[in-house]
Amino acid sequence: MNIQSAINRAVFAPRDERMLVAVEVKRRKRKRVPFLPTGGKGEYMTYICLSVTNKRPAQLLITKVKQFGGSAPFTRRSQWAVEQLRQVNGINPNKDCPEFDLVFDNAFDQWVASSAPEKCIFIQIMYHACQTYWEGKEGVPGSPAGDQQKGQRGQGGQGSPGAQGGQGSPGAQVGQIGGPVAQARRKSTVGPRPHHTEFVNCQSKLTGDACKMNLVLYRCKVFFNRMKKVMVSNQSRSQAGAGPRAGPSGQRPPGGSMGSVVQRASQALQERGERLGRAEDKTVDLMHKAQQFADTAHKLALKYSN
């Protein structure tokens, strides 16, 4: 089970929500509030999650989830509705970078994702989810946008008969007198239309139509980055378990740095790829030989059957 499935099962499934995407983040500028409890001891990991409710009408939510000490339980810290999300800032519209900002009505957070592809996946899914959410809100009875459209249609329907009946008719005068009062009442009950989330400094490929191919590419990059991290951590653990070997002068031999570990891991991958390539070539040769043997056997069978 990956980390996103674990967060969805522990945090969102019990609340009848479905998580769309999650990204591991750290603050670019750490907040220093020493007199407030942090809610946990030691190191912790922070995730920004985008979820949607299963009940109708569906609500789009942004949730901050923390995992203290690398333990299994996840803690839901803060949650905002998409109506409170004013702006998503991608920082750099020209290249993939891990930094991004989220601006809410009552909060402003500056984050750094664990990698640039994970941040791109998060922003791309959030953009299309927000577009779908606001398009679904348009014309829905009971929503501010739908009520405003309904009020505009009602005003147009009442004004057309008055115009056809002429200005001197009593019905037109009553409509003109009662029109501003009815409009004021409708405006007071409808209220202001909620703002849509603004995406600034985001790459066009994240907010464009060709989203599926970009998602596949970013997911492949995330997978390879995670595999590289796992291999590096395994190499470091194996070296730590073996212990440092002292040289003749009592000094630690070279090659124990992180750069040498990564180099050895990449070399091992290259050697493994070469071995796989040789095995594939041998498999193709065996297939050709087997096909030739089958053809020869078939010819012999036809010859002696006659």
Side-chain angles (χ1 to χ4, degrees), residues 72-109:
F74 298 93
T75 305
R76 186 175 67 92
R77 306 295 292 179
S78 305
Q79 191 173 61
W80 299 271
V82 71
E83 287 83 2
Q84 298 175 284
L85 180 61
R86 291 189 173 275
Q87 187 184 91
V88 177
N89 191 343
I91 304 300
N92 195 333
N94 300 321
K95 67 176 183 179
D96 297 341
C97 64
E99 296 86 5
F100 67 98
D101 296 341
L102 297 179
V103 182
F104 298 93
D105 289 337
N106 55 354
F108 172 65
D109 292 327

Side-chain angles (χ1 to χ4, degrees), residues 169-183:
S169 62
Q173 296 177 359
V174 173
Q176 292 175 359
I177 296 174
V181 178
Q183 291 178 6

Side-chain angles (χ1 to χ4, degrees), residues 57 90 97 192 251 261:
C97 64
Q251 297 180 355
V261 172

Side-chain angles (χ1 to χ4, degrees), residues 228-251:
K228 184 177 180 180
K229 290 181 181 178
V230 169
M231 292 186 63
V232 171
S233 62
N234 290 338
Q235 290 284 344
S236 60
R237 288 177 183 176
S238 61
Q239 289 184 358
R245 297 179 180 178
S249 60
Q251 297 180 355

Side-chain angles (χ1 to χ4, degrees), residues 149-164 175 183 186:
Q149 291 181 358
K150 184 177 179 182
Q152 291 176 357
R153 288 195 298 267
Q155 292 175 13
Q158 290 177 1
S160 56
Q164 294 176 2
Q183 291 178 6
R186 280 195 295 270

